[in-house]
Amino acid sequence: YKTASLAETCEIDIGTNTVVIENGYAYMKDATCPDKICIHTGKINDNSKDIVCLPNKVIVKVTKKSTLDATSG
């Protein structure tokens, strides 16, 4: 869906979910899923943890140092 640098500050609208990048971290700001587990995952900034929204089929992961990939579908 999109690749972004963790050095930037932005909001990424994925349709059902909104990812925010700020201060070197990424987090799920909003989601239409019923359980909101993806929002409660918190902030990520390395590849040791991903943000996953199973109902909306969205995965947010840091793939390299300071690079974020958001996928949908």
Side-chain angles (χ1 to χ4, degrees):
Y1 187 84
K2 181 172 180 146
T3 300
S5 170
L6 290 178
E8 63 184 280
T9 299
C10 66
E11 280 194 15
I12 303 169
D13 182 15
I14 305 176
T16 57
N17 298 59
T18 303
V19 177
V20 173
I21 301 173
E22 64 183 0
N23 299 323
Y25 288 87
Y27 64 92
M28 192 73 68
K29 176 182 175 182
D30 191 35
T32 61
C33 59
D35 56 16
K36 310 288 188 219
I37 291 172
C38 55
I39 294 173
H40 297 298
T41 299
K43 296 179 179 182
I44 63 172
N45 71 344
D46 61 38
N47 63 359
S48 66
K49 192 175 185 183
D50 297 336
I51 301 172
V52 179
C53 182
L54 288 178
N56 292 334
K57 299 177 184 166
V58 173
I59 300 171
V60 176
K61 61 173 58 182
V62 176
T63 57
K64 298 178 186 173
K65 187 174 182 175
S66 75
T67 302
L68 172 99
D69 284 331
T71 58
S72 177

